[in-house]
């Protein structure tokens, strides 16, 4: 589905949308460029676009199937940049990963989106910077990558907060076992890392000026994106280490707490075994147990039981077992 | 065993099969090429082929023994590409790994298969693309590698589903201990990774144009295979991390559940110790235990026991121990 | 907020502070250079400075937001070096990480500080070395980096002491469970490492003479900083390994100690079960239990109980269970 | 001890052994070469050889002491290749590591063996290939390396079988704790890896033609050895991962089994506590316990005990605790 | 403190010690060289030496403070090599790490020692090799490095023996918990590795002939040191893996042994619960318990108790629980 088709001329968006065929013609014309935005196209839809803009057979397959690894690939004069967008869904503690395929040519940029990764904010942003838009499509590509990486930062922030919450659960001492939550977070972080990590090489390659479509004046901007990307990547790697340690610490905490419960119960059983034992002795039927006939035999035995149990109780208390 | 022997001329398969000697002659002729398909050949069988097509002594040994690491090696003008095929057998949760040895020369391609890795689908597919077949054997090699990597994707998908199932078992709370299953999956994933990982370098080397047999127009196709391969490889690496964490989380879950059982049993033992204790006291034979002679002594003691046990029960219940 | 603005001429600080505009003019003049120190500037404040000194748009954004990864970047003639300062707060066992952005140009050095990282000590130090100051801003940059790395050493020292304390807790045998403390330290060390590790590449790049602003005579100084940095980095990496092992050893120690408690309690319960058992037998109401009528029946049974319990006690003691 | 001294001329072994001095002279002569085989020489023995063949002082020290890392080193015109041989001793589950030092020069090859690594099979094998022997000493070196790597394969196979056996023990459920065996295997695998891993770089260096003694026609043979080596190496690395996981899984299995035992015992104790409790109540000496005087009081209580115990038993059985 | 000052002329030590100033003069003279040995110098002491021999300011700071990472650095014509010496103190199971700073110049070698690392053996050794001494200071540097690396080998040997001892403790089955010892060894090994690992790069750089002070004829000697170094390094890395596994195996063994104790105690409690239960029943006060009036009631019950307890005992014994 085509969601947007605009022509940019000397840093300004030309008024109004235009149909696909005119877009193709505009792209072949002078120093303007076309931005064509497509969302989850069908094979036929995209075939039409590919013919209009002369895209490579393999690229078309990628654009429709959309299960690519982030990469940059030059097909003839057209650059294909594949990027994973990430959106943090806080309610489910899930990173929603979308895919953006960007076909970039001096004369056009075609953005194919699958899943998360709305680009309208990018459109609004570049409209306000006619000075930079004069660098052409390279600037649009930068603006998109910049937004994608900002999305990673937000995602990483969300994961960070969840990890802090999990840490509190691990050490809270109120009997929770967040093992499943930790594991699920590990899985999310792994998926997140898989989406983010390969992009670093892609942006680096662009920043080093391997592709003509990005003029030299923009390299600093791409290096800036690259720095942000490495920061996010480092942070996500750190999450993996942290969650691994948290899983380990959780095992310790859980087993400590459960052992404490067992120790408490066992201590009480031990205390209760004292009266049973002593009373058992005076429940024997020997003809000749002198204590049984003492006047204060019974209260003395009761007192003995109370004293022994109290001593045990105090000792257990002092050991921190009760 | 020779399973297939065909001559391709200007993108078309020539009708009918042909015997080995004619194949050799056809290979030495003009701009056509021969595809010879062999399955688990005996030393003698392959020796004949090797002589007909002038293959290197070491290559012959490899083809018959078939315990190679994925590799690409140039013997004179003939390229030897060794690839592991993978097939996921869902019933056993096992990755079945086969081996394909591909001898590629401008004039012929000899495919030697051991175990899994049927190539008839490839044959059907290339028959439908005469335009690409004009690139010669390089295209056939691409089609085979593409199918092998697709097989990896299917395998990875199967493993992924199994891992999700195992995760459910780990956190299900119904007393299962899937430690053995996790371990077995780890083993499978390890074998899978060993089969897949070295291929990446092989395909990369071909994609970079190190070998004349693959003309430049096909490099993009090999780069595409390379990208898919790295994606699968990344996924399989992720599986290893996940299974490691799952084994760890499983230990936590199993020990938590077993401790819960023990705590429950111990709590009941503690409750049962109360009547034993109290009754023991009134079972003593002292001459002078006034309570024994009270009218409601017995029901009062029974009531006391019931009250204490109930309090204990409620407290244990509230602590989540029962 | 501008905290300092000084002009250095042929190795000497010119007397008195001077306002921003004059600083800009001084920077454009002869062989002197300006050091402008800013702390957590607002966007407007820094915009004024950026215009005066002609700083790059992206650099300005970085300076105000300050969430950069350590890096070195050349914008035109001006070098931007981003460094993380670290200060160890012993009371909280926390590494406080600040950020320093250093804009370095033959004619000026602008230091932007966020959080920890006071530079007045650097100022005092360079005032005493007019001989080195003749190397210009490169020497100031060195002095700042040197102080930052010294701060890392102090931080690493603090963490080391904490780890030693935690080790004592782990093996002390007095029932402590420092799992949470170990985990928190792991987190601190991870953050510390993230702050320190990327700086190594930055300093190395400067030491190799990639930037004109640092003349050759100073390279040895930067290599010295680089060596110190790698030493600290190696130490911090070691901390991660140590804390991982400590967490593991702690699990062993904690579970050993808790098992010892349980064993002790259980051993006492076992000892107490002996009199209960024996007394139970002589509490039976059979008509015909000869022992009951023996003269010394009762003392003999008591003696039996004492002997059995003592034997058990001794055995348990010898096994180290009590 | 000199165990073998032969002269090879144009691919044939000259009949009969010959003394050391003549060997030296033969080596200095025409297009033949000498193979001198030595086993664990004393310092004096080897000194004589070194002088005869003009070996480097450091090489001599290495040959006598024999605690080298696999390496290749060029001393003047003579190549020193150090290789570790491996032999799997199944009865002890031990990899026996020997050391081979190979001094290779166009005119001679001196093989010094310490420990495992018999070379007589190599001698027999090269005698049958006069065609290859014309490549000179390079072929002998290849044959030795090929045999050594074959030995690694056999060793890896042996370790693999042991690991499979250990896996069966881990998951067998018959109460074994193979922790020690797993650990010992880890140690063996570590030693094995240390012996094998550095050889890969050595063979690669030779295969790339860095040394004149190995003519170009043999490079393919060395690349073949290199491939086998990497396969073995990958396999051994895999063993380490597997054994790590096995140790972990074993902890889970052992603690599960032991907890099951404890749960079973505790469940029986809980069942036994029921009659004790109920009987205790009817053993009280109250004047007024009506049940005591009922005609069927006794059988009813016995029935009550049986019913409660049976219910408990069934419930525990259903929970899988008994 | 200056401990040694000698002049070497054409491979011979000139008789007698000489004061610092003359040493400086000798160093500036012809083809002899000076070896000045210093131990833990004060700032003033070393300042004098630095002036006499014209050492760089930064090098002086390093020499006095001595907390360097192993490195090689060229200051003008003088090479500074920093090396960590290691000495194994068996009684404390501690690697004592010292520091050697070696200032090497064609005309002199100044050795500054902090802590362990006596050099008198080196002095004795080089006195006996006038032939090699003709290579000048490069030979002295080699002899020192060779001795340092030999010290590492001895240290690694000591650690190896300790690890073997710890392994025996882990699997001995006599109730030891060597967790603390394993952890301490891990710490030692980590420190050891930190001291050894960076030296490899240093020696490699010298062996490749980056520095003029080491003439080509000595490169083989340095490569030999480099090989030994990598062997030690590999061994120390192996120790880390082993100790990690040992810590893990220890957890298994300790928890197995403790569970066995608990199982044994619980089994005895279960056996003791049998007489308590049965006797409790015949201690009830029902009017009508026929067994109580049987002639052989009492012995029969005792027999019953004995039989049940024996059966339990045998069953527990057979299960390996007692």
């Amino acid at each position: 589905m085509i969601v947007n088709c605009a022509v940019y001329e000397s840093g300004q968006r030309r008024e109004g949308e235009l149909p696909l065929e005119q877009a193709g013609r505009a792209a072949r014309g002078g120093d303007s460029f076309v931005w064509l935005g497509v969302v989850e196209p069908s094979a036929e839809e995209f075939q039409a676009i590919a013919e209009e803009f002369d895209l490579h057979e393999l690229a078309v397959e990628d654009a429709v199937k959309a299960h690519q690894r982030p990469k940059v690939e030059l097909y003839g004069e057209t650059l294909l940049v594949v990027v994973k967008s990430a959106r943090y869904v806080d309610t489910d503690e899930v990173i929603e990963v979308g895919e953006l395929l960007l076909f970039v040519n001096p004369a056009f940029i075609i953005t194919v989106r699958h899943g998360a990764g709305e680009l309208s904010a990018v459109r609004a942003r570049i409209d306000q910077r006619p000075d930079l838009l004069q660098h052409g499509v390279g600037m649009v590509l930068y603006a998109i990558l910049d937004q994608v990486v900002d999305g990673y930062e937000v995602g990483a922030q969300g994961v960070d907060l969840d990890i802090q919450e999990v840490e509190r659960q691990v050490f809270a001492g109120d009997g929770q076992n967040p093992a499943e939550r930790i594991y699920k977070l590990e899985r999310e972080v792994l998926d997140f890392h898989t989406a983010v990590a390969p992009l670093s090489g892609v942006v680096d390659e662009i920043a080093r000026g391997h592709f003509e479509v990005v003029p030299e004046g923009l390299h600093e901007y791409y290096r800036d994106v690259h720095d942000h990307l490495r920061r996010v990547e480092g942070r996500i790697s750190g999450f993996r280490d942290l969650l691994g340690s948290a899983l380990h610490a959780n095992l310790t905490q859980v087993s400590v707490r459960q052992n404490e419960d067992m120790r408490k119960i066992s201590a009480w059983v031990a205390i209760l075994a004292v009266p049973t034992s002593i009373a058992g002795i005076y429940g024997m039927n020997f003809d000749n147990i002198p204590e049984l006939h003492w006047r204060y035999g019974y209260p003395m035995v009761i007192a003995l039981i109370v004293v022994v149990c109290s001593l045990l109780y105090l000792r257990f208390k002092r050991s921190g077992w009760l």
Side-chain angles (χ1 to χ4, degrees), chain A:
Chain A
M1 196 178 53
I2 296 179
V3 293
N4 165 268
C5 183
V7 179
Y8 291 80
E9 262 174 329
S10 43
Q12 293 283 164
R13 170 140 66 129
R14 205 195 283 164
E15 286 299 312
E17 299 258 323
L18 76 172
L20 181 55
E21 309 82 54
Q22 294 186 22
R25 217 175 313 141
R28 280 185 294 277
D31 62 340
S32 59
F33 69 88
V34 171
W35 180 356
L36 184 72
V38 190
V39 174
E40 287 161 17
S42 66
E44 298 79 40
E45 270 180 330
F46 201 76
Q47 192 57 46
I49 296 170
E51 275 161 25
E52 190 66 37
F53 290 92
D54 195 25
L55 305 179
H56 191 279
E57 174 193 30
L58 285 167
V60 173
E61 216 184 294
D62 288 355
V64 177
K65 276 213 226 142
H67 279 296
Q68 300 297 311
R69 211 172 160 268
K71 67 170 178 183
V72 57
E73 186 80 52
L74 196 62
Y75 291 111
E77 287 222 314
T78 302
L79 204 64
L80 168 59
V81 182
V82 181
V83 182
K84 298 280 183 183
S85 64
R87 203 163 66 84
Y88 189 67
V89 186
D90 195 33
T91 46
D92 306 335
E93 297 196 347
V94 160
I95 300 282
E96 204 181 290
V97 173
E99 189 166 325
L100 286 172
L101 296 108
L102 314 168
F103 294 88
V104 190
N105 183 295
F108 60 81
I109 177 163
I110 303 174
T111 57
V112 184
R113 174 160 70 82
H114 290 258
E118 251 300 327
L119 293 176
S120 53
V122 177
R123 251 173 246 124
R125 183 174 155 203
I126 62 169
D127 282 357
Q128 291 163 5
R129 293 292 301 267
D131 56 324
L132 289 175
L133 260 185
Q134 290 179 336
H135 290 289
V137 286
M139 187 60 206
V140 178
L141 180 59
Y142 158 72
I144 293 172
L145 291 176
D146 196 41
Q147 185 191 267
V148 164
V149 174
D150 280 354
Y152 294 166
E153 297 251 21
V154 173
Q157 193 56 36
V159 173
D160 204 352
L161 290 175
D162 283 334
I163 291 177
Q164 285 172 30
E165 222 175 290
V166 158
E167 286 169 2
R168 273 193 296 276
Q169 283 183 305
V170 167
F171 298 110
D174 57 352
Q176 295 181 74
N177 170 20
E180 184 167 8
R181 198 175 169 196
I182 296 173
Y183 180 83
K184 292 265 164 78
L185 273 170
E186 274 193 300
R187 207 185 220 290
E188 281 312 304
V189 166
L190 195 71
D191 285 356
F192 197 5
H193 194 256
T194 306
V196 169
L199 188 56
S200 184
V202 170
V203 175
D204 188 44
E205 218 176 318
I206 302 176
R208 281 161 184 237
H210 288 190
F211 307 107
E212 274 177 39
V213 98
V214 177
E216 219 195 302
L218 287 175
H219 292 176
E220 282 154 357
Y221 290 86
Y222 282 91
R223 278 207 297 276
D224 197 61
V225 171
H226 187 241
D227 277 326
H228 288 172
L229 201 48
R230 287 190 62 191
R231 214 173 73 88
V232 174
E233 209 190 316
R235 221 172 149 190
I236 297 175
S237 295
F239 291 160
R240 291 172 70 176
D241 287 353
L242 272 181
L243 286 168
S245 288
L247 196 57
H248 209 113
N250 184 50
L251 175 58
T252 308
Q253 296 306 95
V254 162
S255 86
V256 163
R257 275 199 302 266
Q258 289 203 318
N259 263 304
E260 278 170 1
D261 295 352
M262 285 299 289
R263 203 171 52 190
K264 197 178 273 177
I265 297 174
S266 298
W268 277 114
V269 168
I271 290 176
L272 278 172
V274 170
T276 309
S277 251
I278 295 176
I281 285 167
Y282 292 105
M284 292 192 293
N285 297 321
F286 283 97
D287 290 352
N288 194 3
I289 307 186
E291 298 94 313
L292 294 180
H293 311 299
W294 295 355
R295 177 180 276 234
Y296 298 111
Y298 175 58
M300 278 167 69
V301 161
I302 294 294
L304 175 68
I305 288 172
V306 168
V307 165
V308 173
C309 288
S310 302
L311 286 176
L312 268 183
Y313 178 83
L314 287 175
R315 200 188 147 176
F316 289 168
K317 199 82 189 174
R318 223 176 38 225
S319 303
W321 295 353
L322 281 179

